[in-house]
Amino acid sequence: MADTAAMMDTSIDPIALRRAFGTFVTGVTVITTLDEDGTPRGMTANSFTSVSLNPPLLLVCVAKSASSYQAFTGSDCFAVNILHEGQVDVSATFASKSPDKFQSVNHDRIHTGAPVLTDSLTWFDCSVFNRMDAGDHAVLIGEVRAFGTSPSAPLGFCRGRYASVKDPLPAGWLASHGMIIGYLIEANDHLLLRSDGKGGWVLPTARRRKADSQLVVDGGGALRLLPDNTFLYSVFDVADSDPGYLIYRARLADEGMPADLPVGLKFFHVDEIPYEQVPTHELRSMLRRYVRERREMRFGIYMDSDDGGRVAMIDGEAHAWMQSSHE
């Protein structure tokens, strides 16, 4: 007990304490809000935790020394964006003093108006439930108004550096109905692919399939498609723990390829698709089948099964259901 008392009487070394706090493995978040002029503000933070399910509450801590401190303490809303393993650059950007942090990321407004990073592991859109002064930080407790998540792997942080998290998606974590919706989007003999943040290329994805001309892709940005040329192409699983894939084929409404694609998206000529950089066998096989079928413009619909799957070929031109029902 004497040793304990002596330690308590000794002043705490803030550097040593910071290192001790840093041994707790956390994720990495970017917290965002709007200042009084409506300008988006944001900073990297790992002082985040859940608080309550009923009501749905979480908390973040904002240093009083942060340049966006006044914006966070003066706003009635904020968002917490948990980063995935491919977003080290995003973490670095929002940890910097750059005046243009939001120029390099896609963001949207969902419920409260706080900026939500559309390419993230998980996001929470919150209204301020309570604020508390706590030493050199302010504690913000937010009430979750909307949230979204993805099957990506999280970006970890420990002892002042980034850390990898193994087995991020246990079996059964996502419900089977949470299908990943991907798109084969073509323009001028080129196919649109999305960087997976790890040196590979996958299909662009969307939260849901809408039968209109605007498709908001994950990662931000909207693409104008020809709704009459959008059809189901493939349904398959990659692993038992995977939520499954619904793949549609589509075509851009505008002639040519847009010059201002969202970050991470790129068009490849159909004869130059980087198959060796596509991370899964299932996606590679589907892309090769698509390229093969488009040569004859005769496409099939693939459904996987235990014995390798089934393909039903589609013959003839598409026309409206109302026209078909009156023939």
Side-chain angles (χ1 to χ4, degrees):
M1 294 296 294
D3 289 342
T4 302
M7 290 180 64
M8 292 174 64
D9 291 339
T10 303
S11 62
I12 296 292
D13 180 347
I15 296 177
L17 182 62
R18 181 186 182 93
R19 289 174 178 170
F21 284 154
T23 61
F24 184 64
V25 182
T26 71
V28 182
T29 78
V30 167
I31 56 176
T32 55
T33 190
L34 300 172
D35 65 18
E36 60 182 5
D37 297 326
T39 302
R41 302 294 298 272
M43 57 179 284
T44 301
N46 64 346
S47 296
F48 159 80
T49 188
S50 59
V51 174
S52 169
L53 293 177
N54 186 21
L57 303 177
L58 56 76
L59 71 79
V60 293
C61 298
V62 182
K64 293 180 179 178
S65 60
S67 60
S68 53
Y69 174 78
Q70 294 296 333
F72 279 101
T73 56
S75 177
D76 60 1
C77 64
F78 64 91
V80 179
N81 307 273
I82 303 176
L83 302 186
H84 60 65
E85 63 180 0
Q87 293 184 297
V88 172
D89 57 335
V90 175
S91 174
T93 296
F94 279 87
S96 72
K97 297 185 181 298
S98 169
D100 299 319
K101 296 178 180 180
F102 286 88
Q103 296 300 314
S104 61
V105 297
N106 295 299
H107 57 281
D108 200 358
R109 299 185 181 187
I110 306 298
H111 183 87
T112 67
V116 169
L117 305 190
T118 52
D119 179 22
S120 59
L121 173 66
T122 301
W123 54 267
F124 302 96
D125 190 3
C126 306
S127 57
V128 173
F129 184 83
N130 198 3
R131 296 185 184 89
M132 293 177 288
D133 186 86
D136 56 6
H137 280 65
V139 178
L140 301 182
I141 298 180
E143 183 169 2
V144 179
R145 299 297 185 178
F147 68 97
T149 190
S150 76
S152 301
L155 178 62
F157 196 77
C158 183
R159 291 191 170 99
R161 56 187 177 181
Y162 299 108
S164 297
V165 180
K166 295 182 179 180
D167 192 23
L169 195 65
W173 183 256
L174 289 183
S176 60
H177 64 269
M179 303 289 282
I180 296 173
I181 302 177
Y183 274 79
L184 292 155
I185 299 176
E186 191 172 328
N188 286 359
D189 294 328
H190 285 69
L191 194 65
L192 187 64
L193 297 180
R194 176 176 63 87
S195 170
D196 65 359
K198 297 177 286 186
W201 293 94
V202 295
L203 292 181
T205 57
R207 295 173 189 260
R208 60 180 63 88
R209 197 269 189 211
K210 289 186 176 180
D212 55 26
S213 60
Q214 287 285 102
L215 177 73
V216 178
V217 295
D218 290 337
L223 299 173
R224 294 184 63 244
L225 305 180
L226 293 173
D228 293 342
N229 286 60
T230 302
F231 295 97
L232 179 66
Y233 184 71
S234 193
V235 182
F236 61 90
D237 292 324
V238 171
D240 291 340
S241 61
D242 193 273
Y245 284 78
L246 287 173
I247 306 297
Y248 291 88
R249 59 182 175 90
R251 182 174 292 275
L252 283 185
D254 300 323
E255 293 185 5
M257 293 173 289
D260 55 345
L261 282 173
V263 175
L265 294 180
K266 180 180 178 181
F267 274 103
F268 291 86
H269 193 277
V270 291
D271 294 330
E272 299 175 354
I273 293 174
Y275 295 110
E276 70 283 355
Q277 297 176 38
V278 176
T280 67
H281 166 73
E282 290 81 1
L283 284 173
R284 288 194 297 271
S285 297
M286 183 204 60
L287 285 169
R288 286 192 171 100
R289 179 170 68 90
Y290 176 80
V291 172
R292 186 171 60 249
E293 290 180 348
R294 74 178 296 280
R295 293 192 186 107
E296 299 179 0
M297 296 305 292
R298 185 172 179 265
F299 297 98
I301 297 178
Y302 172 84
M303 303 282 289
D304 68 350
S305 62
D306 293 338
D307 61 353
R310 299 284 186 273
V311 176
M313 300 309 296
I314 300 175
D315 296 304
E317 294 294 326
H319 50 80
W321 169 252
M322 291 300 294
Q323 175 183 346
S324 175
S325 63
H326 288 89
E327 288 180 350

